[in-house]
Amino acid sequence: MRSIFLLFLISGLFRYSLAQEGFCSVPSESKSEKHLYWKIYDSTLYPLNLQNLPGFTRSVYKRDHALISPESHVYGPLPDWINTLGAYLISPEMGSHFIMYLAKLKENSKSGLPLHDVERFIFVLHGAVTVTNAHGVSHALKVDSYAYFPPNFEYSIESDAPAIIVVFERRYAQLPNHVPEPLVNSTDKQPLLETPGEIFELRKLLPTSLAYDFNIHIMDFQPGEFLNVKEVHYNQHGLLLLEGQGIYRLGDSWYPVQAGDAIWMAPFVPQWYGALGKTRSRYLLYKDVNRSPL
Ligand SMILES: *[C@@H]1O[C@H](CO)[C@@H](O)[C@H](O)[C@H]1NC(C)=O
């Protein structure tokens, strides 16, 4: 009698653990109980199936915008970097005046310098990196920390363990009597800024002073929140969705997007975001500022 009870208990636990593994909380059937054509009616598996569908990608490349989803990333060596692989997601071939790329630093990795007159911004997505200037002053950067390096500034980015960063570079647009300073900081130390008429939370990672010709915004939306202004403007954007899901409108197209997606927005492309899903949306956004478009 006792052993039957034990068997009952064990089989119950087994079923419970199966249900926990499943995509939703409805108890799923074990494999042996599955019928031959179960994929037709088990709709909870659709998102997973889609990822592995041969030839399927959500990535899009058009004249005035692009969506690059993670299954399209192609990594290769970065010029002058050691033990690092990079995937360029936005580059002037698309029409942008900046580049945006992911850099995967492996053990004992080290950055190379950008081209002459090119400034660089880095943001840590995974692991940690150490940035060191020519005087040997070092800062450790963890996830959500970032650094800005003015053009022709000497420094290195190093890591002794795997780390991933997103990098923006552009040719610096000078203004007489304004000089950008190198800086290191973190997202959580930046104050929330006023966003008149809008509901999302905004932080700017760089100073708004004239010395800087671009800024990086961190924008947070709760599920259901959306942009009020359907923006059309001269500035260009590189966006990396860090958390959450939603719908991005670009021109006449409406794209379901999720964390990991990157977006290029050319000047004047109509743009709008609505956050959906069950958790906060957070994205990181490059925007050129403080310079006349002429
Ligand atoms: C980081 O940013 C905050 C807010 O902008 C600023 O008060 C602080 O001085 C910065 N820290 C460093 C090390 O620059």
Side-chain angles (χ1 to χ4, degrees):
M1 184 62 203
R2 189 189 257 177
S3 64
I4 288 177
F5 175 73
L6 216 80
L7 206 72
F8 195 69
L9 193 77
I10 289 170
S11 84
L13 278 174
F14 184 60
R15 266 163 208 256
Y16 176 76
S17 72
L18 269 178
Q20 292 300 298
E21 264 176 43
F23 204 71
C24 66
S25 56
V26 179
S28 57
E29 297 168 3
S30 72
K31 270 206 181 108
S32 58
E33 288 171 57
K34 282 220 159 102
H35 297 283
L36 190 53
Y37 300 120
W38 62 275
K39 283 184 181 171
I40 293 164
Y41 48 83
D42 194 345
S43 60
T44 59
L45 287 167
Y46 280 0
L48 284 176
N49 283 348
L50 222 48
Q51 266 171 19
N52 294 324
L53 194 60
F56 174 82
T57 177
R58 289 183 298 109
S59 297
V60 173
Y61 169 52
K62 297 199 176 170
R63 185 192 63 81
D64 57 5
H65 67 268
L67 167 64
I68 296 146
S69 44
E71 74 276 4
S72 303
H73 293 174
V74 178
Y75 283 88
L78 288 171
D80 298 331
W81 294 54
I82 298 166
N83 286 338
T84 305
L85 290 175
Y88 292 100
L89 304 181
I90 298 177
S91 80
E93 284 81 357
M94 285 171 162
S96 68
H97 65 211
F98 67 96
I99 55 176
M100 167 176 161
Y101 57 99
L102 296 174
K104 277 189 182 171
L105 292 93
K106 293 183 273 192
E107 282 170 22
N108 305 318
S109 49
K110 188 173 179 183
S111 64
L113 287 171
L115 297 175
H116 193 66
D117 290 343
V118 168
E119 56 190 334
R120 178 186 276 166
F121 176 92
I122 66 165
F123 180 96
V124 181
L125 299 167
H126 170 75
V129 300
T130 303
V131 298
T132 308
N133 70 14
H135 304 293
V137 180
S138 284
H139 293 276
L141 301 188
K142 296 179 297 189
V143 173
D144 267 345
S145 297
Y146 59 88
Y148 168 80
F149 308 104
N152 311 322
F153 182 75
E154 287 206 11
Y155 59 92
S156 67
I157 306 161
E158 289 172 81
S159 185
D160 48 21
I164 303 176
I165 59 177
V166 57
V167 187
F168 294 87
E169 289 174 17
R170 73 171 282 193
R171 208 164 290 282
Y172 179 63
Q174 287 192 7
L175 268 192
N177 307 321
H178 294 277
V179 180
E181 297 291 327
L183 60 92
V184 165
N185 217 314
S186 64
T187 305
D188 59 337
K189 295 215 177 80
Q190 304 316 308
L192 285 177
L193 303 175
E194 291 288 317
T195 53
E198 297 286 357
I199 198 166
F200 62 84
E201 292 188 335
L202 171 67
R203 291 177 175 84
K204 294 188 180 181
L205 301 188
L206 294 180
T208 53
S209 53
L210 285 180
Y212 299 86
D213 62 357
F214 71 91
N215 213 316
I216 301 287
H217 296 181
I218 296 281
M219 293 166 66
D220 292 338
F221 301 76
Q222 296 305 319
E225 293 183 351
F226 54 89
L227 289 170
N228 179 35
V229 180
K230 299 72 169 172
E231 293 186 353
V232 177
H233 53 56
Y234 82 90
N235 318 72
Q236 37 186 281
H237 287 313
L239 181 153
L240 184 63
L241 193 52
L242 299 172
E243 290 177 44
Q245 298 181 316
I247 303 284
Y248 226 102
R249 178 185 176 160
L250 298 164
D252 289 334
S253 303
W254 303 69
Y255 299 104
V257 291
Q258 61 185 358
D261 288 347
I263 294 174
W264 148 243
M265 289 177 243
F268 297 105
V269 65
Q271 53 198 254
W272 176 90
Y273 183 60
L276 295 170
K278 293 174 179 160
T279 56
R280 172 179 82 167
S281 276
R282 163 171 280 191
Y283 58 70
L284 179 152
L285 185 78
Y286 167 97
K287 180 183 187 179
D288 53 307
V289 293
N290 289 334
R291 297 293 183 272
S292 164
L294 199 58

